[in-house]
Amino acid sequence: MSMEIGVGFLGAGTVGSALIRRLIYESDAISSKTGLQLAVRGIAVRDTTKQRGVEIPPGLLTDDPGTVVDNPDVRIVVEVMGGLEPAGELALRALRSGKAVVTANKELMAARGSALLAAAEDSGVSLLFEAAVGGGIPIIRPLSESLAGERITSVMGIVNGTTNFILTRMIEDRAPYDEVLAEAQRLGYAEADPAADVKGADAASKAAILASLAFGSWVDGNQVPREGIEGLQLLDFDYARTLGYTPKLLAIAEDSDDGVAVRVHPTLVPVDHPLASVRGATNAVFVSGPSIGELLFTGPGAGGEPTATAILGDVIACARELLARNEVRSRIRFAQGRVRDMADVTTKWFLRFTVVDRPGVLARIAAVFGSHDVSIKSVWQEGRGVEATLLLVTHESPERHLQAAVSDLAALDVVSEVATVLRVHGDEP
Ligand code: NAP
Ligand code: HSE
């Protein structure tokens, strides 16, 4: 026997309209597979006259989100408007009034997830957010349920589709940055403000969510140090390729006795590393633990359709829970975590310098690295007469030592420019 459950939408953009189309026009298929009848009861947008790529039956659209949240026929609220406000206040209002909430909003979850989950628990309803990380890849439920018994030591990978799409097109097609970013926006991969993608904020929010679920210590999105891809140049991609590396924007979260270290930055990975072959808007996340070894979750990380699938799964889970009248208690509990200072985090480094091309220069540069306890792994140099390009990869070194060395190197009279400093992941190719 199927029973009808009312669903309300906050937002009907790239993601919302893809899901609304399925709920309205594929309801028979959903019903025959799940036994559920999910009925769209209201859709809040900014502009009710806009074309949305889906025909919306009359009477559903409103520009007053409060009427969707307060509608007694809506039992599940899908928040796909993005941003902190009014999304945060509306989600809280829905939870407090006993409605289940499904959100794709990683910015909101990273900033206020702990408080929202507590509100959901107090009201005995669900707050699900599978789509907030990895688009269509199931990663939230595996971390919070399937792997709840594992002592996860690290979560690491590509979690932003837009930037991976940009890097792929720039490297493979020599396409200009601005042109590829515009293409990512057209394809529905980018955030409403794409600065969140290219400056690393979107990936930082996702890294905070993944770290919180993996390690059971709440990590606030604002605590995650991040660097984006804006400053990267094709020239560096070419030089990195010379040494056997390719650039990726990585989110890295590690747990240790000293605390949790979470960060997002462009990273060089060996060309034979599995992450090197992750192309376009695809995401890929490695989860490691002593018993499971290493798991890889990969798939479409952005775009309306795959993200709609992730949200629909959450909506179905909420509907089943509502019908079973499950108490939604003790879902996820978080301790207060100890976040490590980024300056203590250790990694390998790639550096590109322009230096004076004369005897003794390399020795002076090596001496600076040595004085800061940074060990050089490999050096590649191309002389051009007066000046030379110097590429250098170090062994593992704490960020604070490397940054101190860079600062001293920049002051050397034989160094014209420290052009690039990038982190390196994985073994030498
Ligand atoms: P979008 O295309 O910009 O859509 C946002 C929707 O929210 C629009 O329909 C907009 O109305 C509505 N909206 C925004 N502010 C509003 C307000 N104050 N009152 C009423 N309606 C408002 O964004 P999206 O790409 O669908 O993303 C939505 C959420 O999903 C974001 O949190 C994003 O991070 C997340 N997400 C996106 C993807 C992706 O691939 N795009 C993947 C995973 C997660 P109008 O249409 O009238 O402007
Ligand atoms: N803008 C995001 C990305 C959408 O490019 O990954 C998916 O969260």
Side-chain angles (χ1 to χ4, degrees):
M1 188 186 74
S2 69
M3 288 184 61
E4 194 172 280
I5 303 272
V7 182
F9 278 80
L10 303 176
T14 303
V15 175
S17 56
L19 181 56
I20 289 164
R21 186 189 56 73
R22 284 202 225 169
L23 286 180
I24 293 178
Y25 297 104
E26 296 176 12
S27 62
D28 287 350
I30 294 170
S31 179
S32 71
K33 192 166 180 192
T34 63
L36 297 166
Q37 275 185 347
L38 303 168
V40 180
R41 293 294 182 209
I43 303 167
V45 291
R46 269 182 304 226
D47 177 1
T48 56
T49 64
K50 202 192 250 184
Q51 289 299 313
R52 301 192 175 272
V54 53
E55 199 173 323
I56 294 178
L60 285 180
L61 281 175
T62 173
D63 59 6
D64 179 1
T67 61
V68 172
V69 171
D70 298 335
N71 182 343
D73 291 336
V74 168
R75 300 191 65 195
I76 301 171
V77 172
V78 176
E79 187 280 297
V80 276
M81 60 170 42
L84 290 181
E85 292 300 351
E89 182 266 321
L90 291 163
L92 197 58
R93 184 157 136 198
L95 293 169
R96 285 184 175 153
S97 64
K99 295 175 199 286
V101 171
V102 176
T103 180
N105 191 335
K106 67 295 297 237
E107 185 186 0
L108 178 62
M109 286 307 296
R112 304 202 200 138
S114 189
L116 289 169
L117 286 164
E121 195 172 325
D122 288 346
S123 298
V125 292
S126 289
L127 166 62
L128 299 181
F129 47 100
E130 184 60 72
V133 182
I137 308 169
I139 178 79
I140 299 296
R141 193 165 284 123
L143 278 180
S144 50
E145 294 183 9
S146 322
L147 298 171
E150 176 74 1
R151 197 179 73 74
I152 295 172
T153 49
S154 78
V155 182
M156 187 278 287
I158 297 165
V159 295
N160 183 269
T162 300
T163 46
N164 203 55
F165 177 80
I166 292 174
L167 292 175
T168 305
R169 291 269 286 112
M170 285 177 77
I171 291 167
E172 293 183 6
D173 306 327
R174 318 288 296 174
Y177 174 89
D178 291 338
E179 189 183 302
V180 197
L181 174 56
E183 197 180 341
Q185 289 179 280
R186 267 197 312 280
L187 292 167
Y189 300 153
E191 295 301 297
D193 177 1
D197 295 293
V198 297
K199 289 182 186 296
D202 177 83
S205 294
K206 291 166 176 169
I209 295 169
L210 291 176
S212 301
L213 295 175
F215 310 138
S217 303
W218 191 261
V219 177
D220 193 300
N222 292 324
Q223 290 177 293
V224 178
R226 79 284 311 262
E227 288 169 28
I229 64 160
E230 284 168 310
L232 300 183
Q233 298 171 30
L234 263 177
L235 181 67
D236 285 311
F237 302 165
D238 294 340
Y239 280 129
R241 172 65 62 160
T242 305
L243 302 185
Y245 295 101
T246 194
K248 292 290 178 191
L249 185 72
L250 294 192
I252 303 173
E254 293 159 327
D255 195 16
S256 73
D257 293 342
D258 300 328
V260 167
V262 192
R263 69 247 189 218
V264 167
H265 45 64
T267 310
L268 295 182
V269 297
V271 289
D272 58 358
H273 190 281
L275 289 177
S277 54
V278 175
R279 301 173 61 253
T282 306
N283 284 188
V285 180
F286 282 99
V287 178
S288 305
S291 304
I292 50 159
E294 201 169 60
L295 302 178
L296 174 61
F297 298 83
T298 187
E305 292 298 334
T307 307
T309 295
I311 301 177
L312 184 51
D314 280 352
V315 170
I316 289 166
C318 288
R320 284 178 172 151
E321 235 159 32
L322 286 169
L323 289 180
R325 294 180 185 280
N326 270 357
E327 285 289 303
V328 190
R329 305 267 173 207
S330 307
R331 179 170 293 278
I332 311 168
R333 296 197 179 276
F334 296 101
Q336 198 53 45
R338 206 173 121 224
V339 178
R340 284 174 68 197
D341 187 341
M342 182 74 178
D344 295 328
V345 173
T346 295
T347 187
K348 289 173 242 174
W349 298 87
F350 164 95
L351 298 100
R352 174 165 68 87
F353 302 93
T354 306
V355 298
V356 175
D357 195 6
R358 68 163 185 254
V361 169
L362 208 50
R364 287 185 63 192
I365 289 172
V368 172
F369 278 109
S371 71
H372 290 283
D373 216 16
V374 179
S375 167
I376 296 170
K377 187 171 186 181
S378 57
V379 177
W380 182 92
Q381 183 172 329
E382 184 180 54
R384 297 193 303 270
V386 181
E387 288 195 318
T389 294
L390 181 65
L391 309 182
L392 197 145
V393 178
T394 74
H395 287 286
E396 297 263 349
S397 164
E399 174 126 4
R400 88 170 70 246
H401 292 193
L402 191 281
Q403 296 300 355
V406 166
S407 149
D408 284 1
L409 286 160
L412 285 184
D413 57 357
V414 293
V415 173
S416 314
E417 187 190 17
V418 182
T420 304
V421 180
L422 281 170
R423 296 162 185 88
V424 175
H425 174 81
D427 296 328
E428 198 161 22

